[in-house]
């Protein structure tokens, strides 16, 4: 099935819709997909590019909820297992299994005996984790391995007091950009209209009920109006601002905390994700795994910087560099043989997540769904904010069951995935014939609503994962796509290597 993401904002505004979704991250995409499966006419408005903000910055792990089992939070455990299976089953070309290893030192819950019991429980309660999943993506059993095996798989481990290692499997997004776009294509094939660079600015209300979303096309500057009786605000870090602009401020909808993951210009620790925890009270656990041939580490959480700092690129950059330095120090303390350096930083995937408490660093454990009509605001207006990529579909489904009660869900067939050179990463792209790369870029530009060169390089492909490769490729592609010099320079700036200098590591 051939699918094009048609960007025709004025035509979409001339049509009455059942649902308007505000926000085109993974939550908004799943909301648009789910509404279309319910037979509703739906338009999704994204002020930037699809999946271009927090969704782009994830750690790329599809979690199965093992930590929820340790807390005996069974509902979220079963949700995570089911959603991980859903992704592995339906997107085998964009996912894979990820072996995970956590060194055990015999203290607290991280004792071999404790994890061995947890592993047995995990396997028993996730016994359907491979149902319908291709054999290549089956998840193996969890358990405990010897200290010698831990050292063999992760030589940089802190060996003092090492008693063994926890071993389990999760899922991994091989190419999160393509996975996001495949979800967009599926929503479009199901009847949803997806518009990027269209910003919602307000809500028209008639008789106490949502009537239309006011918006502006950020490409042409034209003001638009999208009529619908149901509006779902899924604008991520901007969801509280959007709710306020729509006449019903809800500050608790999104209390920001800063989070980031770091891509390093060095080989990964192998084909395994390793959990690293500094040996100090209250220390966080960080995961190291692979994105292409590079090491990806995260996730670091911190209180959100002030609005003044967030609004000043230079101040925000300095603040982020300081935190990344702290992250590197902590990981090196947890794995003394690793030797991460600041000048190895290729890219920082940063963004704001909802915090558990105002001004805090700890991310919220649970999504927030607000029915503004029941809370005293306009009827038909809903807001949702969440944290996890893995369970975004489940949150969207719960929201839609409440916002669109009684609608029958009829999933439509998924269109064939885009393949070939489009799914390659920067490590392989330069070895491809130039004609294949050029034709793939033109196809993505025309068929997937790409409006800038960085849309193609960063958010339709992983061609700029390595910034040096990305810049070389962007230089060649700009004239092929008919872009002027200013467009080319903006892309080069967007994909350029992060400015980190090496410095001393403190432990």
């Amino acid at each position: 099935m051939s699918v094009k993401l048609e960007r025709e904002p004025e035509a979409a505004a001339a049509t009455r819709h059942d649902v308007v979704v505000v926000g085109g991250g993974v939550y908004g995409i799943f909301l648009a997909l789910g509404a279309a499966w319910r037979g509703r006419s739906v338009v999704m408005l994204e002020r930037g590019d699809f999946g271009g903000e927090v969704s782009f910055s994830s750690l790329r792990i599809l979690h199965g909820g093992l930590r929820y089992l340790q807390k005996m939070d069974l509902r979220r455990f079963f949700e995570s297992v089911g959603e991980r299976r859903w992704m592995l089953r339906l997107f085998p070309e964009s996912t894979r299994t990820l072996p995970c290893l956590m060194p055990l030192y015999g203290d607290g819950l991280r004792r071999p005996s404790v994890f061995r019991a947890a592993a047995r429980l995990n396997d028993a309660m996730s016994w359907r984790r491979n149902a319908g999943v291709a054999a290549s993506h089956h998840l193996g059993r969890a358990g405990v391995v010897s200290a010698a095996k831990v050292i063999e798989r992760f030589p940089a481990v802190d060996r003092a007091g090492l008693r063994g290692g926890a071993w389990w499997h999760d899922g991994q997004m091989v190419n999160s950009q393509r996975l996001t776009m495949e979800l967009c294509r599926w929503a479009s094939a199901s009847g949803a209209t997806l518009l990027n660079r269209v910003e919602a600015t307000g809500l028209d209300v008639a008789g106490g009920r949502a009537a239309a979303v006011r918006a502006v096309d950020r490409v042409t500057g034209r003001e638009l109006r999208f009529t619908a009786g149901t509006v779902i605000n899924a604008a991520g870090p901007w969801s509280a601002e959007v709710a306020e602009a729509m006449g019903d401020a809800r500050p608790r909808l999104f209390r920001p905390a800063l989070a980031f993951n770091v891509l390093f210009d060095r080989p990964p620790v192998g084909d395994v994700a390793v959990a690293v925890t500094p040996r100090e009270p209250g220390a966080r656990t960080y995961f190291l795994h692979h994105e292409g041939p590079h090491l990806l580490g995260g996730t670091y959480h911190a209180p959100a910087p002030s609005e003044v700092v967030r609004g000043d690129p230079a101040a925000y950059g300095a603040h982020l560099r300081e935190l990344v330095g702290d992250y590197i120090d902590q990981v090196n303390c947890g794995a003394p043989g690793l030797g991460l350096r600041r000048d190895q930083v290729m890219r920082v995937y940063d963004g704001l997540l909802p915090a558990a408490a105002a001004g805090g660093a700890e991310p919220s454990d649970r999504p927030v769904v607000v029915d503004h009509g029941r809370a005293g605001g306009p009827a038909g207006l809903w807001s949702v904010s969440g944290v996890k990529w893995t369970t975004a579909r489940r949150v969207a489904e719960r929201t839609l069951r409440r916002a669109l009660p009684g609608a029958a869900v009829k999933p439509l067939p998924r269109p064939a995935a885009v393949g070939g050179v489009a799914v390659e990463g920067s490590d392989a792209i330069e070895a491809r014939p130039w004609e294949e790369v050029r034709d793939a870029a033109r196809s993505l530009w025309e068929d997937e609503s790409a409006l800038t060169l960085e849309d193609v390089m960063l958010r339709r492909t992983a061609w700029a994962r390595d910034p040096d490769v990305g810049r070389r490729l962007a230089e060649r592609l700009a004239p092929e796509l008919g872009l002027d010099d200013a467009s080319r320079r903006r892309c080069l700036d967007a994909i350029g290597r992060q400015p980190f200098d090496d410095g001393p590591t403190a432990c």
Side-chain angles (χ1 to χ4, degrees):
M1 183 190 305
S2 176
V3 177
K4 291 187 70 171
L5 298 179
E6 301 281 1
R7 189 185 184 280
E8 298 177 352
E10 293 186 31
T15 303
R16 177 171 178 81
H17 300 279
D18 299 311
V19 182
V20 175
V21 175
V22 178
V26 64
Y27 283 80
I29 295 167
F30 273 124
L31 285 163
L33 179 62
W37 284 354
R38 286 163 169 79
R40 303 302 174 90
S41 170
V42 55
V43 59
M44 185 186 83
L45 311 179
E46 164 54 44
R47 76 173 193 172
D49 194 22
F50 305 126
E53 297 290 344
V54 181
S55 298
F56 174 73
S57 297
S58 80
L59 191 56
R60 281 69 163 146
I61 295 179
L62 299 170
H63 294 283
L66 182 58
R67 73 184 184 94
Y68 296 141
L69 182 60
Q70 292 173 313
K71 298 177 181 179
M72 293 308 292
D73 190 340
L74 299 185
R75 183 179 67 82
R76 283 194 290 171
F77 169 78
F78 287 123
E79 283 184 353
S80 298
V81 170
E83 293 307 294
R84 180 187 62 188
R85 180 172 73 91
W86 191 88
M87 298 296 293
L88 293 174
R89 180 169 61 88
L90 292 172
F91 293 92
E93 71 284 344
S94 297
T95 62
R96 62 183 163 213
T97 61
L98 181 66
C100 300
L101 176 66
M102 175 185 288
L104 300 174
Y105 293 94
D107 49 350
L109 294 176
R110 295 185 180 178
R111 288 172 287 167
S113 59
V114 172
F115 190 85
R116 191 173 288 111
R120 293 194 188 103
L121 188 59
N122 175 78
D123 290 344
M125 297 182 69
S126 64
W127 64 277
R128 285 183 52 82
R129 62 188 177 276
N130 295 321
V133 178
S136 60
H137 285 52
H138 278 195
L139 302 174
R141 299 177 68 84
V144 174
V145 298
S146 67
K149 180 62 70 174
V150 175
I151 294 170
E152 177 186 331
R153 300 301 294 261
F154 185 42
V157 67
D158 184 351
R159 304 184 186 192
L162 182 65
R163 299 273 300 277
W167 180 263
W168 73 98
H169 289 78
D170 264 326
Q172 181 185 23
M173 293 181 271
V174 178
N175 187 324
S176 63
Q177 294 94 320
R178 281 316 313 161
L179 183 53
T180 297
M181 292 312 302
E182 295 300 335
L183 287 167
C184 286
R185 294 174 69 249
W186 196 355
S188 179
S190 299
T193 299
L194 277 59
L195 300 175
N196 53 346
R197 299 324 196 282
V198 176
E199 182 175 4
T201 58
L203 181 72
D204 289 341
V205 179
R209 184 173 185 87
V213 172
R214 299 190 303 275
V216 61
D217 182 346
R218 298 182 72 184
V219 175
T220 66
R222 294 199 62 171
E223 294 183 352
L224 303 167
R225 187 172 182 271
F226 297 88
T227 57
T230 301
V231 175
I232 307 178
N233 162 28
W238 300 275
S239 55
E241 295 175 20
V242 169
E244 183 175 8
M246 291 187 171
D248 193 37
R250 299 286 162 181
R252 67 174 287 272
L253 180 63
F254 196 97
R255 298 174 293 208
L258 179 63
F260 63 78
N261 302 300
V262 186
L263 187 67
F264 292 94
D265 189 7
R266 58 171 290 166
V269 296
D271 62 349
V272 62
V274 176
V276 172
T277 309
R279 305 283 293 278
E280 58 187 46
R284 292 192 65 92
T285 295
Y286 302 104
F287 277 86
L288 306 172
H289 65 109
H290 51 295
E291 185 174 16
H294 307 293
L295 178 69
L296 179 64
T299 297
Y300 186 99
H301 298 276
S306 69
E307 292 184 7
V308 173
V309 172
R310 294 204 300 270
D312 181 339
Y316 179 77
H319 179 70
L320 192 61
R321 283 193 292 275
E322 181 179 351
L323 295 180
V324 170
D326 181 58
Y327 165 75
I328 290 173
D329 289 347
Q330 290 192 41
V331 173
N332 283 335
C333 290
L338 197 59
L340 289 179
R341 303 199 313 270
R342 289 157 173 76
D343 62 353
Q344 293 173 334
V345 174
M346 298 173 71
R347 187 177 303 284
V348 179
Y349 297 108
D350 60 300
L352 298 177
L353 291 177
E362 199 66 26
S364 174
D365 276 345
R366 301 177 187 277
V368 176
V369 179
V370 177
D371 177 353
H372 291 268
R374 292 192 63 181
L381 175 62
W382 296 76
S383 291
V384 57
S385 70
V387 176
K388 297 292 184 183
W389 226 105
T390 310
T391 52
R393 186 186 75 100
R394 182 62 66 94
V395 174
E397 286 295 301
R398 282 207 302 268
T399 304
L400 290 168
R401 282 198 295 270
R402 295 175 60 189
L404 305 175
V409 184
K410 298 179 180 178
L412 297 173
R414 182 192 162 205
V418 170
V421 68
V423 302
E424 297 285 2
S426 55
D427 52 302
I429 195 67
E430 287 190 307
R432 290 282 198 162
W434 169 245
E435 293 75 17
E436 290 186 19
V437 179
R438 178 200 61 202
D439 292 348
R442 288 175 175 171
S443 177
L444 296 172
W445 183 271
E446 294 170 1
D447 295 346
E448 293 190 354
S449 195
L451 298 174
T452 68
L453 184 54
E454 51 266 39
D455 288 351
V456 174
M457 300 295 300
L458 288 169
R459 293 180 288 274
R460 302 296 181 281
T461 70
W463 294 350
R465 178 186 291 153
D466 182 329
D468 297 332
V469 173
R471 287 170 65 88
R472 290 194 296 269
L473 189 57
E475 291 276 14
R476 297 188 68 185
L477 281 176
E480 297 285 354
L481 297 176
L483 300 177
D484 60 23
D485 192 55
S487 299
R488 178 188 61 83
R489 287 198 303 271
R490 281 196 300 270
C491 179
L492 296 179
D493 289 342
I495 66 178
R497 183 180 288 267
Q498 298 277 352
F500 282 87
D501 296 322
D502 195 22
T505 294
C507 185

